[in-house]
Amino acid sequence: KGIATINAKDPSVLSPALLAVSGDILLKLGNLDEATAMFRRLVDRHKDGMFADAGPVGLGYVALARKQPAEALKIFEDALAQNPGMSRFKETTLGKLESLVAIGQLDAAEKLALEIAGDKMFRGETAGKAYIHLGKVYRKQAEKIAGVDARLELLKKAHGTYQRVYVAYQSTPEVCAEAYWQAYETATDLGNKSLADETIRALAANQKLKNTERFKKANELTP
C-alpha cells in the first residue's frame, strides 16, 4: 500500500509486478485516476510481459467503478477475444458478468452466471461472486416483470441463490457476508420481516465475518 500511494503520481519507476499490485490497491482505495495510470502503463509499456493481462482487466474494473459498464464490457470482451488463455481469465469473465448486469442485459448475464457456476474452472470465490450476480439478475428481472406472483417468485429465486452462497462459502468472508446482506435486502423486498430479521441477526453474529464491512453494518442495525 505504501509503494502504491508513494508512486501514484509517477508509476514509471515501478516494475510490471508492482504496477499490477499497486493498481489493484489503488482501485480498492477508490483512487481511480492513479489506478488508471498504473494499468495504462502496463498496457502501453509491458503488453508482452507476464503481467500484461493486469492492464486491460484493471482498466475494465476502473470503468465499472466509474459507473461506465458499457465501456467496461467492451474492455473485458476485447481482452477475452484477443487472449482467451489470459492469466486473469476468471477476473475478466466475472467483470464481463458484472458489466452485463449493470447495463441490463439480463438474459445474457443469467446465462453467463450459470455457465460460471457450473464450470469447475471457476470453483471457490469466483463461483460465489457469480451466484451473487445471478441473484441480482433475478431481482432486476422482478423489477420489470408484470404480475405480483411472478415478481415474488423471482425474488424467492434470488433469496434462495443468496442463501446457497452464505451456507456454502463460509471460507470466503467477503462473499459470504455480501450474500447474507443481499438475502436480507431480498427478504425485505418480499415483505417477510421475520426472515429479514433472522438473516441480519445471523450475519451480525457470525464471527467468521467480523472483518467485513457487511458484518459491521449488520451490527449497527441489530441491538
Side-chain angles (χ1 to χ4, degrees):
K1 181 178 178 181
I3 291 172
T5 54
I6 290 170
N7 296 285
K9 300 300 182 183
D10 183 17
S12 64
V13 301
L14 298 180
S15 68
L18 286 176
L19 285 170
V21 175
S22 296
D24 289 340
I25 290 170
L26 292 167
L27 176 58
K28 289 178 182 178
L29 291 173
N31 299 344
L32 302 184
D33 290 342
E34 291 84 352
T36 298
M38 299 286 178
F39 296 132
R40 177 55 59 190
R41 186 166 179 82
L42 277 171
V43 171
D44 294 341
R45 298 297 185 93
H46 304 286
K47 62 181 179 180
D48 296 321
M50 64 182 297
F51 293 94
D53 293 344
V57 176
L59 291 174
Y61 278 100
V62 168
L64 281 174
R66 293 188 190 279
K67 309 298 182 185
Q68 298 169 337
E71 179 179 341
L73 179 60
K74 184 178 186 307
I75 293 172
F76 291 129
E77 288 186 329
D78 286 349
L80 289 167
Q82 292 169 13
N83 186 6
M86 64 190 307
S87 62
R88 296 203 175 191
F89 178 77
K90 293 179 183 179
E91 294 169 72
T92 310
T93 306
L94 201 62
K96 177 182 177 179
L97 172 57
E98 185 175 347
S99 302
L100 287 169
V101 176
I103 63 178
Q105 291 190 19
L106 302 181
D107 290 343
E110 181 179 4
K111 180 181 177 182
L112 181 57
L114 290 171
E115 287 176 358
I116 293 172
D119 191 331
K120 292 181 180 179
M121 180 191 303
F122 294 99
R123 282 179 177 173
E125 183 176 359
T126 305
K129 288 180 177 179
Y131 276 122
I132 289 175
H133 287 306
L134 181 61
K136 186 175 291 186
V137 167
Y138 293 145
R139 292 170 72 184
K140 283 180 172 286
Q141 289 174 338
E143 292 173 2
K144 297 183 176 184
I145 201 166
V148 174
D149 290 344
R151 175 179 176 274
L152 291 177
E153 193 61 34
L154 282 166
L155 288 175
K156 288 177 182 177
K157 280 181 70 175
H159 186 273
T161 301
Y162 296 135
Q163 189 175 45
R164 176 177 184 170
V165 176
Y166 69 66
V167 169
Y169 291 85
Q170 295 277 330
S171 60
T172 52
E174 291 293 343
V175 171
C176 181
E178 185 63 29
Y180 265 116
W181 186 268
Q182 296 300 329
Y184 157 69
E185 289 190 341
T186 306
T188 301
D189 291 341
L190 281 164
N192 192 333
K193 187 176 185 305
S194 61
L195 179 59
D197 290 345
E198 176 187 336
T199 305
I200 200 69
R201 284 197 299 267
L203 170 55
N206 192 328
Q207 291 300 307
K208 292 181 180 179
L209 312 178
K210 64 182 180 181
N211 293 323
T212 67
E213 289 301 317
R214 292 306 196 188
F215 174 90
K216 297 170 186 175
K217 186 68 175 177
N219 276 278
E220 291 174 4
L221 295 177
T222 55

